[in-house]
Coordinates of all heavy atoms in Angstrom, one line a residue:
M1 N -35.8 -3.7 -10.2 CA -35.1 -4.7 -9.5 C -33.6 -4.7 -9.9 O -32.7 -5.0 -9.1 CB -35.7 -6.1 -9.7 CG -35.1 -7.2 -8.8 SD -36.2 -8.5 -8.4 CE -35.7 -9.7 -9.6
L2 N -33.4 -4.3 -11.2 CA -32.0 -4.3 -11.7 C -31.2 -3.2 -10.9 O -30.0 -3.5 -10.5 CB -32.0 -3.9 -13.2 CG -30.6 -3.7 -13.8 CD1 -29.8 -5.0 -13.8 CD2 -30.8 -3.3 -15.3
K3 N -31.7 -2.1 -10.7 CA -31.0 -1.0 -9.9 C -30.7 -1.5 -8.5 O -29.6 -1.3 -8.0 CB -31.9 0.2 -9.9 CG -31.1 1.4 -9.2 CD -32.0 2.7 -9.3 CE -31.2 3.8 -8.7 NZ -32.0 5.0 -8.7
S4 N -31.6 -2.2 -7.9 CA -31.4 -2.7 -6.5 C -30.2 -3.7 -6.5 O -29.4 -3.7 -5.6 CB -32.6 -3.3 -5.9 OG -33.6 -2.4 -5.8
F5 N -30.2 -4.6 -7.5 CA -29.2 -5.6 -7.6 C -27.8 -5.0 -7.9 O -26.8 -5.4 -7.3 CB -29.6 -6.7 -8.7 CG -28.6 -7.8 -8.7 CD1 -28.3 -8.6 -7.6 CD2 -27.9 -8.1 -9.9 CE1 -27.4 -9.6 -7.7 CE2 -27.0 -9.2 -10.0 CZ -26.8 -9.9 -8.8
R6 N -27.8 -4.0 -8.7 CA -26.6 -3.3 -9.0 C -26.0 -2.7 -7.8 O -24.8 -2.8 -7.5 CB -26.7 -2.3 -10.1 CG -27.0 -2.9 -11.5 CD -27.0 -1.9 -12.6 NE -25.6 -1.4 -12.8 CZ -25.3 -0.3 -13.4 NH1 -26.2 0.5 -13.8 NH2 -24.0 0.1 -13.5
I7 N -26.8 -2.0 -7.0 CA -26.4 -1.4 -5.7 C -25.9 -2.4 -4.8 O -24.8 -2.3 -4.1 CB -27.5 -0.5 -5.1 CG1 -27.8 0.7 -6.0 CG2 -27.2 -0.1 -3.7 CD1 -29.0 1.5 -5.7
L8 N -26.7 -3.5 -4.6 CA -26.3 -4.6 -3.7 C -25.0 -5.2 -4.1 O -24.1 -5.5 -3.3 CB -27.4 -5.7 -3.7 CG -27.2 -6.8 -2.7 CD1 -27.2 -6.4 -1.3 CD2 -28.3 -7.8 -2.9
S9 N -24.8 -5.5 -5.4 CA -23.5 -6.1 -5.8 C -22.4 -5.2 -5.6 O -21.3 -5.6 -5.3 CB -23.6 -6.5 -7.3 OG -23.7 -5.4 -8.2
L10 N -22.6 -3.9 -5.8 CA -21.5 -2.9 -5.5 C -21.1 -2.9 -4.0 O -19.9 -3.0 -3.7 CB -21.9 -1.5 -5.9 CG -21.0 -0.4 -5.6 CD1 -19.7 -0.4 -6.4 CD2 -21.7 1.0 -5.8
L11 N -22.1 -2.9 -3.2 CA -21.9 -2.9 -1.7 C -21.2 -4.2 -1.3 O -20.3 -4.2 -0.4 CB -23.2 -2.7 -0.9 CG -23.8 -1.3 -1.1 CD1 -25.2 -1.2 -0.4 CD2 -22.9 -0.2 -0.5
E12 N -21.7 -5.3 -1.9 CA -21.1 -6.6 -1.5 C -19.6 -6.7 -1.9 O -18.8 -7.1 -1.2 CB -21.9 -7.7 -2.2 CG -21.6 -9.1 -1.6 CD -20.4 -9.8 -2.2 OE1 -20.0 -9.4 -3.3 OE2 -19.9 -10.7 -1.6
G13 N -19.3 -6.2 -3.1 CA -18.0 -6.1 -3.6 C -17.1 -5.3 -2.7 O -15.9 -5.6 -2.4
I14 N -17.6 -4.1 -2.3 CA -16.8 -3.2 -1.5 C -16.6 -3.9 -0.1 O -15.4 -3.8 0.4 CB -17.5 -1.9 -1.3 CG1 -17.5 -1.1 -2.6 CG2 -16.9 -1.0 -0.2 CD1 -18.3 0.1 -2.7
S15 N -17.6 -4.5 0.5 CA -17.4 -5.1 1.8 C -16.4 -6.2 1.7 O -15.6 -6.4 2.7 CB -18.8 -5.6 2.3 OG -19.3 -6.7 1.6
F16 N -16.4 -7.0 0.6 CA -15.5 -8.1 0.5 C -14.0 -7.6 0.4 O -13.1 -8.1 1.1 CB -15.8 -8.9 -0.8 CG -15.0 -10.1 -1.0 CD1 -14.7 -11.0 0.1 CD2 -14.5 -10.5 -2.2 CE1 -13.9 -12.1 -0.1 CE2 -13.8 -11.7 -2.4 CZ -13.5 -12.5 -1.4
L17 N -13.8 -6.5 -0.3 CA -12.5 -5.9 -0.4 C -12.1 -5.3 0.9 O -10.9 -5.4 1.3 CB -12.5 -4.8 -1.5 CG -12.7 -5.3 -2.9 CD1 -12.7 -4.2 -3.9 CD2 -11.6 -6.3 -3.3
L18 N -13.0 -4.7 1.7 CA -12.7 -4.2 3.0 C -12.2 -5.3 3.9 O -11.2 -5.1 4.7 CB -13.9 -3.5 3.6 CG -14.2 -2.1 3.1 CD1 -15.5 -1.6 3.7 CD2 -13.1 -1.1 3.3
I19 N -12.9 -6.4 3.8 CA -12.4 -7.6 4.6 C -11.0 -8.0 4.2 O -10.2 -8.2 5.1 CB -13.5 -8.7 4.5 CG1 -14.7 -8.4 5.3 CG2 -12.9 -10.0 5.1 CD1 -15.8 -9.4 5.1
L20 N -10.8 -8.2 3.0 CA -9.5 -8.7 2.5 C -8.4 -7.8 2.8 O -7.3 -8.3 3.2 CB -9.6 -9.0 1.0 CG -10.5 -10.2 0.5 CD1 -10.5 -10.3 -1.0 CD2 -10.0 -11.5 1.1
F21 N -8.6 -6.5 2.5 CA -7.4 -5.6 2.5 C -7.3 -4.7 3.7 O -6.3 -4.1 4.0 CB -7.4 -4.8 1.3 CG -7.2 -5.6 0.0 CD1 -8.3 -5.7 -0.9 CD2 -6.1 -6.4 -0.2 CE1 -8.1 -6.5 -2.1 CE2 -6.0 -7.1 -1.3 CZ -7.0 -7.2 -2.3
I22 N -8.4 -4.6 4.5 CA -8.4 -3.7 5.7 C -8.5 -4.5 7.0 O -7.6 -4.5 7.9 CB -9.5 -2.6 5.6 CG1 -9.4 -1.8 4.4 CG2 -9.4 -1.8 6.9 CD1 -8.2 -1.0 4.2
T23 N -9.7 -5.2 7.1 CA -9.9 -5.9 8.4 C -9.1 -7.1 8.7 O -8.8 -7.4 9.9 CB -11.4 -6.2 8.6 OG1 -11.8 -7.2 7.7 CG2 -12.3 -4.9 8.4
M24 N -8.8 -7.9 7.7 CA -8.0 -9.1 7.9 C -6.5 -8.7 8.4 O -6.0 -9.3 9.3 CB -7.9 -10.0 6.7 CG -9.3 -10.6 6.4 SD -9.9 -11.6 7.8 CE -9.5 -13.2 7.2
P25 N -5.9 -7.7 7.7 CA -4.6 -7.3 8.2 C -4.7 -6.7 9.7 O -3.8 -7.0 10.5 CB -4.1 -6.2 7.3 CG -4.8 -6.6 6.0 CD -6.1 -7.1 6.4
L26 N -5.8 -6.0 9.9 CA -5.9 -5.5 11.3 C -6.0 -6.6 12.3 O -5.5 -6.5 13.4 CB -7.2 -4.6 11.4 CG -7.1 -3.2 10.8 CD1 -8.5 -2.5 10.8 CD2 -6.1 -2.3 11.6
K27 N -6.7 -7.6 11.9 CA -6.9 -8.8 12.8 C -5.7 -9.6 13.0 O -5.3 -9.9 14.2 CB -8.1 -9.7 12.3 CG -8.4 -10.9 13.1 CD -9.5 -11.7 12.6 CE -9.8 -12.9 13.4 NZ -10.9 -13.7 12.9
Y28 N -5.0 -9.9 12.0 CA -3.9 -10.9 12.1 C -2.5 -10.2 12.3 O -1.6 -10.8 12.8 CB -3.9 -11.8 10.9 CG -5.0 -12.7 10.9 CD1 -6.1 -12.6 10.0 CD2 -5.1 -13.7 11.9 CE1 -7.2 -13.5 10.0 CE2 -6.2 -14.6 11.9 CZ -7.2 -14.5 11.0 OH -8.3 -15.3 11.0
I29 N -2.4 -9.0 11.8 CA -1.1 -8.3 12.0 C -1.1 -7.5 13.3 O -0.1 -7.5 14.1 CB -0.7 -7.4 10.8 CG1 -0.6 -8.3 9.6 CG2 0.5 -6.6 11.0 CD1 -0.4 -7.6 8.3
W30 N -2.2 -6.7 13.5 CA -2.2 -5.8 14.7 C -3.1 -6.3 15.8 O -3.4 -5.5 16.7 CB -2.6 -4.4 14.2 CG -1.5 -3.8 13.4 CD1 -0.3 -3.3 13.9 CD2 -1.5 -3.6 12.0 NE1 0.5 -2.8 12.8 CE2 -0.2 -3.0 11.6 CE3 -2.3 -3.9 10.9 CZ2 0.1 -2.7 10.3 CZ3 -2.0 -3.6 9.6 CH2 -0.7 -3.0 9.4
D31 N -3.6 -7.5 15.7 CA -4.4 -8.1 16.7 C -5.6 -7.3 17.1 O -5.9 -7.1 18.3 CB -3.5 -8.4 18.0 CG -4.1 -9.4 18.9 OD1 -4.8 -10.3 18.4 OD2 -3.9 -9.4 20.1
N32 N -6.3 -6.7 16.1 CA -7.5 -6.0 16.4 C -8.7 -6.6 15.6 O -8.8 -6.3 14.4 CB -7.3 -4.5 15.9 CG -8.5 -3.6 16.3 OD1 -9.5 -4.1 16.8 ND2 -8.4 -2.4 15.9
G33 N -9.4 -7.4 16.2 CA -10.5 -8.2 15.5 C -11.8 -7.5 15.4 O -12.7 -8.0 14.7
M34 N -12.0 -6.4 16.1 CA -13.4 -5.8 16.2 C -13.8 -5.3 14.8 O -15.0 -5.6 14.4 CB -13.4 -4.7 17.2 CG -14.8 -4.0 17.3 SD -16.1 -5.2 17.6 CE -15.7 -5.7 19.3
P35 N -13.0 -4.6 14.0 CA -13.5 -4.2 12.6 C -13.9 -5.4 11.8 O -14.8 -5.4 11.0 CB -12.3 -3.5 12.0 CG -11.5 -3.0 13.2 CD -11.7 -4.1 14.3
N36 N -13.2 -6.6 11.9 CA -13.5 -7.7 11.2 C -14.9 -8.3 11.5 O -15.6 -8.7 10.7 CB -12.4 -8.8 11.4 CG -12.4 -9.9 10.3 OD1 -13.1 -9.7 9.3 ND2 -11.6 -10.9 10.5
K37 N -15.2 -8.2 12.8 CA -16.5 -8.7 13.2 C -17.6 -7.8 12.7 O -18.6 -8.3 12.2 CB -16.6 -8.7 14.8 CG -15.8 -9.8 15.4 CD -15.9 -9.7 16.9 CE -15.0 -10.8 17.5 NZ -15.0 -10.8 19.0
V38 N -17.4 -6.5 12.7 CA -18.5 -5.6 12.2 C -18.6 -5.7 10.7 O -19.7 -5.9 10.2 CB -18.1 -4.1 12.7 CG1 -19.1 -3.2 12.1 CG2 -18.1 -4.0 14.2
I39 N -17.5 -5.5 10.0 CA -17.6 -5.6 8.5 C -18.0 -7.0 8.1 O -18.7 -7.1 7.1 CB -16.3 -5.1 7.9 CG1 -15.9 -3.7 8.3 CG2 -16.3 -5.2 6.4 CD1 -16.9 -2.6 7.8
G40 N -17.5 -8.0 8.8 CA -17.8 -9.4 8.4 C -19.3 -9.7 8.5 O -19.9 -10.3 7.7
M41 N -20.0 -9.1 9.6 CA -21.4 -9.3 9.7 C -22.1 -8.6 8.6 O -23.0 -9.2 8.0 CB -21.9 -8.8 11.1 CG -23.3 -8.9 11.3 SD -23.9 -10.5 11.5 CE -23.4 -10.8 13.2
A42 N -21.8 -7.4 8.3 CA -22.4 -6.7 7.2 C -22.2 -7.4 5.9 O -23.1 -7.5 5.1 CB -21.8 -5.2 7.1
H43 N -21.0 -7.9 5.7 CA -20.7 -8.6 4.4 C -21.5 -9.9 4.3 O -22.0 -10.2 3.2 CB -19.2 -8.9 4.3 CG -18.8 -9.8 3.2 ND1 -18.9 -9.4 1.9 CD2 -18.5 -11.1 3.1 CE1 -18.6 -10.4 1.1 NE2 -18.3 -11.4 1.8
G44 N -21.7 -10.5 5.4 CA -22.5 -11.8 5.4 C -23.9 -11.5 4.9 O -24.4 -12.2 4.1
F45 N -24.5 -10.5 5.5 CA -25.9 -10.1 5.0 C -25.9 -9.7 3.6 O -26.8 -10.1 2.8 CB -26.5 -9.0 5.9 CG -26.9 -9.5 7.3 CD1 -26.3 -9.0 8.4 CD2 -27.9 -10.4 7.4 CE1 -26.7 -9.4 9.7 CE2 -28.3 -10.9 8.7 CZ -27.7 -10.4 9.8
L46 N -24.9 -8.9 3.2 CA -24.9 -8.5 1.8 C -24.6 -9.7 0.8 O -25.2 -9.7 -0.2 CB -23.8 -7.4 1.6 CG -24.0 -6.1 2.2 CD1 -22.7 -5.2 2.2 CD2 -25.1 -5.3 1.5
F47 N -23.8 -10.6 1.2 CA -23.5 -11.8 0.4 C -24.8 -12.6 0.2 O -25.1 -13.0 -0.9 CB -22.4 -12.6 1.1 CG -22.1 -13.9 0.4 CD1 -21.4 -13.9 -0.8 CD2 -22.6 -15.1 0.9 CE1 -21.1 -15.2 -1.4 CE2 -22.3 -16.3 0.3 CZ -21.6 -16.3 -0.9
L48 N -25.5 -12.9 1.3 CA -26.7 -13.6 1.2 C -27.8 -12.9 0.4 O -28.5 -13.5 -0.5 CB -27.3 -13.9 2.6 CG -26.5 -14.8 3.5 CD1 -27.1 -14.9 4.9 CD2 -26.4 -16.2 2.9
G49 N -27.9 -11.6 0.5 CA -28.8 -10.8 -0.3 C -28.4 -10.9 -1.8 O -29.2 -11.0 -2.7
Y50 N -27.1 -10.9 -2.0 CA -26.6 -11.0 -3.4 C -27.0 -12.3 -4.0 O -27.4 -12.3 -5.2 CB -25.0 -10.8 -3.4 CG -24.4 -11.0 -4.8 CD1 -24.2 -9.8 -5.6 CD2 -24.0 -12.2 -5.2 CE1 -23.6 -10.0 -6.8 CE2 -23.4 -12.3 -6.5 CZ -23.2 -11.2 -7.3 OH -22.6 -11.3 -8.5
I51 N -26.8 -13.4 -3.3 CA -27.2 -14.7 -3.8 C -28.7 -14.8 -4.1 O -29.1 -15.2 -5.2 CB -26.8 -15.8 -2.8 CG1 -25.3 -15.8 -2.6 CG2 -27.3 -17.2 -3.3 CD1 -24.4 -16.1 -3.8
V52 N -29.5 -14.3 -3.2 CA -30.9 -14.3 -3.4 C -31.3 -13.5 -4.6 O -32.1 -13.9 -5.5 CB -31.7 -13.9 -2.1 CG1 -33.2 -13.7 -2.4 CG2 -31.5 -14.9 -1.0
M53 N -30.8 -12.3 -4.7 CA -31.1 -11.4 -5.8 C -30.6 -11.9 -7.1 O -31.3 -11.7 -8.1 CB -30.5 -10.0 -5.5 CG -31.2 -9.2 -4.5 SD -32.8 -8.5 -4.9 CE -32.4 -7.3 -6.1
A54 N -29.5 -12.5 -7.2 CA -29.0 -13.1 -8.4 C -29.9 -14.2 -8.9 O -30.2 -14.2 -10.1 CB -27.6 -13.7 -8.2
I55 N -30.4 -15.0 -8.0 CA -31.4 -16.1 -8.4 C -32.7 -15.4 -8.9 O -33.3 -15.9 -9.9 CB -31.6 -17.0 -7.2 CG1 -30.3 -17.8 -7.0 CG2 -32.8 -18.0 -7.5 CD1 -30.3 -18.6 -5.7
L56 N -33.1 -14.4 -8.2 CA -34.3 -13.7 -8.7 C -34.2 -13.0 -10.0 O -35.1 -12.8 -10.7 CB -34.8 -12.7 -7.6 CG -35.3 -13.3 -6.3 CD1 -35.6 -12.2 -5.3 CD2 -36.5 -14.2 -6.5
M57 N -32.9 -12.6 -10.3 CA -32.7 -11.8 -11.5 C -32.6 -12.8 -12.7 O -32.7 -12.3 -13.9 CB -31.3 -11.1 -11.4 CG -31.4 -9.9 -10.5 SD -32.4 -8.6 -11.1 CE -31.5 -8.0 -12.5
K58 N -32.4 -14.1 -12.5 CA -32.2 -15.0 -13.6 C -33.3 -14.9 -14.6 O -33.1 -14.8 -15.8 CB -32.0 -16.4 -13.1 CG -31.8 -17.4 -14.2 CD -31.8 -18.8 -13.7 CE -31.6 -19.8 -14.9 NZ -31.9 -21.1 -14.5
P59 N -34.6 -15.1 -14.2 CA -35.7 -15.0 -15.3 C -35.8 -13.6 -15.9 O -36.1 -13.4 -17.0 CB -36.9 -15.4 -14.5 CG -36.6 -15.4 -13.1 CD -35.1 -15.4 -12.9
E60 N -35.6 -12.6 -15.0 CA -35.7 -11.2 -15.5 C -34.7 -10.9 -16.6 O -35.1 -10.2 -17.6 CB -35.6 -10.2 -14.4 CG -35.8 -8.8 -14.8 CD -35.8 -7.8 -13.6 OE1 -36.5 -8.1 -12.6 OE2 -35.1 -6.8 -13.7
R61 N -33.5 -11.3 -16.4 CA -32.4 -11.0 -17.4 C -32.3 -12.1 -18.4 O -31.4 -12.0 -19.3 CB -31.1 -10.8 -16.7 CG -31.1 -9.7 -15.7 CD -31.2 -8.3 -16.3 NE -30.1 -8.0 -17.1 CZ -29.9 -6.8 -17.7 NH1 -30.9 -5.9 -17.6 NH2 -28.8 -6.6 -18.4
K62 N -33.1 -13.2 -18.3 CA -33.1 -14.3 -19.2 C -31.7 -15.0 -19.3 O -31.1 -15.3 -20.3 CB -33.5 -13.9 -20.6 CG -35.0 -13.5 -20.6 CD -35.4 -13.0 -22.0 CE -36.8 -12.7 -22.1 NZ -37.2 -11.4 -21.4
W63 N -31.1 -15.2 -18.1 CA -29.8 -15.8 -18.0 C -30.0 -17.4 -18.0 O -31.0 -17.9 -17.5 CB -29.1 -15.5 -16.6 CG -28.7 -14.1 -16.5 CD1 -28.4 -13.2 -17.5 CD2 -28.5 -13.4 -15.2 NE1 -28.0 -12.0 -16.9 CE2 -28.0 -12.1 -15.6 CE3 -28.6 -13.8 -13.9 CZ2 -27.7 -11.2 -14.6 CZ3 -28.3 -12.8 -13.0 CH2 -27.8 -11.5 -13.3
D64 N -29.1 -18.1 -18.7 CA -29.1 -19.5 -18.6 C -28.4 -19.9 -17.3 O -27.8 -19.1 -16.5 CB -28.5 -20.1 -19.8 CG -27.0 -19.7 -20.1 OD1 -26.4 -19.0 -19.2 OD2 -26.5 -20.0 -21.2
N65 N -28.3 -21.2 -17.0 CA -27.7 -21.7 -15.8 C -26.2 -21.4 -15.7 O -25.6 -21.1 -14.7 CB -27.9 -23.2 -15.6 CG -29.3 -23.5 -15.3 OD1 -30.0 -22.7 -14.7 ND2 -29.8 -24.7 -15.6
K66 N -25.5 -21.4 -16.9 CA -24.1 -21.1 -16.9 C -23.9 -19.6 -16.5 O -23.0 -19.3 -15.7 CB -23.5 -21.3 -18.3 CG -22.1 -21.0 -18.4 CD -21.6 -21.2 -19.8 CE -20.1 -20.8 -20.0 NZ -19.6 -20.9 -21.3
T67 N -24.7 -18.7 -17.0 CA -24.5 -17.3 -16.7 C -24.8 -17.1 -15.2 O -24.1 -16.3 -14.5 CB -25.5 -16.4 -17.5 OG1 -25.2 -16.7 -18.9 CG2 -25.3 -15.0 -17.2
L68 N -25.8 -17.7 -14.7 CA -26.1 -17.6 -13.3 C -25.0 -18.1 -12.4 O -24.6 -17.5 -11.4 CB -27.4 -18.4 -12.9 CG -27.8 -18.4 -11.4 CD1 -28.0 -16.9 -10.9 CD2 -29.0 -19.2 -11.1
A69 N -24.4 -19.2 -12.8 CA -23.2 -19.8 -12.1 C -22.1 -18.8 -12.1 O -21.4 -18.6 -11.1 CB -22.8 -21.1 -12.7
I70 N -21.8 -18.1 -13.2 CA -20.8 -17.1 -13.3 C -21.1 -15.9 -12.4 O -20.2 -15.5 -11.7 CB -20.6 -16.6 -14.8 CG1 -20.0 -17.8 -15.6 CG2 -19.7 -15.4 -14.9 CD1 -20.0 -17.5 -17.1
V71 N -22.3 -15.5 -12.4 CA -22.7 -14.3 -11.6 C -22.5 -14.7 -10.1 O -22.0 -13.9 -9.3 CB -24.2 -13.9 -11.9 CG1 -24.7 -12.9 -10.9 CG2 -24.2 -13.3 -13.3
L72 N -22.9 -15.9 -9.7 CA -22.8 -16.3 -8.3 C -21.3 -16.5 -8.0 O -20.9 -16.1 -6.9 CB -23.5 -17.7 -8.1 CG -25.0 -17.6 -8.2 CD1 -25.6 -19.0 -8.1 CD2 -25.6 -16.7 -7.2
A73 N -20.5 -17.0 -8.9 CA -19.1 -17.2 -8.6 C -18.4 -15.8 -8.4 O -17.4 -15.7 -7.7 CB -18.4 -18.0 -9.7
C74 N -18.9 -14.8 -9.1 CA -18.2 -13.5 -9.0 C -18.3 -12.9 -7.6 O -17.5 -12.1 -7.2 CB -18.9 -12.5 -10.0 SG -18.4 -12.8 -11.7
S75 N -19.2 -13.5 -6.8 CA -19.3 -13.0 -5.4 C -18.2 -13.4 -4.5 O -18.0 -12.9 -3.4 CB -20.7 -13.4 -4.8 OG -20.7 -14.7 -4.6
V76 N -17.4 -14.4 -4.9 CA -16.3 -14.9 -4.1 C -15.0 -14.7 -4.7 O -14.0 -15.1 -4.2 CB -16.5 -16.5 -3.8 CG1 -17.7 -16.7 -3.0 CG2 -16.5 -17.3 -5.1
I77 N -14.9 -13.9 -5.8 CA -13.7 -13.5 -6.4 C -13.5 -12.0 -6.2 O -14.4 -11.2 -6.4 CB -13.8 -13.8 -7.9 CG1 -14.0 -15.3 -8.2 CG2 -12.5 -13.3 -8.6 CD1 -14.3 -15.6 -9.6
P78 N -12.3 -11.6 -5.6 CA -12.1 -10.2 -5.4 C -12.3 -9.4 -6.7 O -11.8 -9.8 -7.8 CB -10.6 -10.1 -5.0 CG -10.4 -11.5 -4.4 CD -11.2 -12.5 -5.2
F79 N -13.0 -8.3 -6.7 CA -13.3 -7.5 -7.8 C -14.3 -8.1 -8.8 O -14.6 -7.5 -9.8 CB -12.1 -7.0 -8.5 CG -11.1 -6.2 -7.7 CD1 -10.0 -6.8 -7.2 CD2 -11.3 -4.9 -7.4 CE1 -9.1 -6.1 -6.4 CE2 -10.4 -4.2 -6.6 CZ -9.3 -4.8 -6.1
G80 N -14.8 -9.3 -8.4 CA -15.7 -10.0 -9.3 C -17.0 -9.4 -9.5 O -17.6 -9.4 -10.6
T81 N -17.6 -8.8 -8.5 CA -18.9 -8.2 -8.6 C -18.8 -6.9 -9.5 O -19.8 -6.6 -10.2 CB -19.5 -7.8 -7.3 OG1 -18.6 -6.9 -6.6 CG2 -19.8 -9.0 -6.4
F82 N -17.7 -6.3 -9.5 CA -17.6 -5.1 -10.4 C -17.5 -5.5 -11.9 O -18.1 -4.8 -12.7 CB -16.3 -4.3 -10.0 CG -16.3 -3.9 -8.5 CD1 -15.3 -4.5 -7.7 CD2 -17.2 -3.1 -8.0 CE1 -15.3 -4.2 -6.4 CE2 -17.2 -2.8 -6.6 CZ -16.2 -3.3 -5.8
W83 N -16.8 -6.5 -12.1 CA -16.7 -7.1 -13.5 C -18.1 -7.6 -13.9 O -18.5 -7.4 -15.1 CB -15.7 -8.2 -13.6 CG -15.6 -8.9 -14.9 CD1 -15.0 -8.5 -16.0 CD2 -16.3 -10.1 -15.3 NE1 -15.2 -9.3 -17.1 CE2 -16.0 -10.3 -16.6 CE3 -17.1 -11.0 -14.6 CZ2 -16.5 -11.5 -17.3 CZ3 -17.6 -12.1 -15.2 CH2 -17.3 -12.3 -16.6
M84 N -18.7 -8.3 -13.0 CA -20.1 -8.8 -13.3 C -21.0 -7.7 -13.7 O -21.8 -7.8 -14.6 CB -20.6 -9.7 -12.1 CG -21.9 -10.3 -12.3 SD -23.4 -9.3 -12.0 CE -23.1 -8.6 -10.4
D85 N -21.0 -6.6 -12.9 CA -21.9 -5.5 -13.2 C -21.7 -5.0 -14.6 O -22.6 -4.7 -15.3 CB -21.6 -4.4 -12.2 CG -22.5 -3.2 -12.4 OD1 -23.7 -3.3 -12.4 OD2 -21.9 -2.1 -12.7
K86 N -20.4 -4.8 -15.0 CA -20.1 -4.3 -16.3 C -20.5 -5.3 -17.4 O -21.0 -4.9 -18.4 CB -18.6 -4.0 -16.4 CG -18.2 -3.3 -17.7 CD -16.7 -3.0 -17.6 CE -16.3 -2.3 -18.9 NZ -14.9 -2.0 -18.9
K87 N -20.3 -6.6 -17.2 CA -20.5 -7.6 -18.2 C -22.0 -8.0 -18.4 O -22.5 -8.1 -19.5 CB -19.7 -8.8 -17.9 CG -19.9 -10.0 -18.8 CD -18.8 -10.2 -19.8 CE -19.0 -11.5 -20.5 NZ -18.8 -11.4 -21.9
Y88 N -22.7 -8.1 -17.2 CA -24.0 -8.7 -17.3 C -25.2 -7.8 -16.9 O -26.3 -8.1 -17.2 CB -24.1 -9.9 -16.4 CG -23.2 -11.0 -16.8 CD1 -22.1 -11.4 -16.2 CD2 -23.6 -11.8 -18.0 CE1 -21.3 -12.4 -16.6 CE2 -22.8 -12.8 -18.4 CZ -21.6 -13.1 -17.7 OH -20.8 -14.2 -18.2
L89 N -24.9 -6.6 -16.3 CA -26.0 -5.8 -15.8 C -26.2 -4.5 -16.6 O -27.2 -3.9 -16.6 CB -25.8 -5.5 -14.3 CG -25.8 -6.7 -13.4 CD1 -25.7 -6.3 -12.0 CD2 -27.1 -7.6 -13.6
R90 N -25.1 -4.0 -17.3 CA -25.3 -2.8 -18.0 C -25.8 -3.1 -19.4 O -25.4 -4.0 -20.1 CB -23.9 -2.1 -18.1 CG -23.5 -1.6 -16.8 CD -22.3 -0.7 -16.9 NE -21.8 -0.4 -15.5 CZ -20.7 0.3 -15.3 NH1 -20.0 0.6 -16.3 NH2 -20.4 0.5 -14.0
D91 N -26.7 -2.3 -19.8 CA -27.3 -2.5 -21.2 C -26.6 -1.8 -22.3 O -25.9 -0.8 -22.1 CB -28.8 -2.0 -21.2 CG -29.6 -2.9 -20.3 OD1 -29.3 -4.1 -20.2 OD2 -30.6 -2.3 -19.7

């Protein structure tokens, strides 16, 4: 399950960065909203999967509530999932 969560967190982090730095400028500067819809939908599914998997990982990794809150907060901070992977998932 750890490997799956690491992959999911990587994909979620990449999709978040794509939205922030690629699709949002395309939408608001060049008036092209289609990439935002596609990447946004994928990011939504990845985000929900990340939240569920983080909650499922809590007992496996023996995280306390504070650590779980930090892991969950990392999903809404740019580059947060990459830091979280390094800090909490690597042995």
Side-chain angles (χ1 to χ4, degrees):
M1 191 151 98
L2 176 63
K3 184 177 181 181
S4 297
F5 184 58
R6 289 187 71 200
I7 292 169
L8 182 64
S9 67
L10 174 70
L11 292 174
E12 196 275 338
I14 291 170
S15 70
F16 187 41
L17 293 176
L18 285 174
I19 287 173
L20 289 176
F21 298 115
I22 305 293
T23 67
M24 293 302 259
L26 284 173
K27 181 178 180 179
Y28 291 110
I29 297 172
W30 291 285
D31 200 31
N32 184 1
M34 184 52 69
N36 199 8
K37 290 180 182 179
V38 174
I39 301 296
M41 178 71 77
H43 173 70
F45 285 118
L46 291 167
F47 175 76
L48 292 175
Y50 178 91
I51 299 299
V52 170
M53 287 286 289
I55 293 169
L56 294 174
M57 289 293 292
K58 181 184 177 196
E60 183 177 310
R61 301 295 289 183
K62 296 178 177 70
W63 291 336
D64 57 9
N65 288 334
K66 179 182 176 186
T67 303
L68 177 62
I70 292 168
V71 169
L72 293 174
C74 285
S75 67
V76 295
I77 299 169
F79 302 99
T81 57
F82 306 114
W83 174 83
M84 182 278 306
D85 177 64
K86 185 176 180 181
K87 174 106 171 134
Y88 294 106
L89 300 182
R90 293 190 186 172
D91 294 328

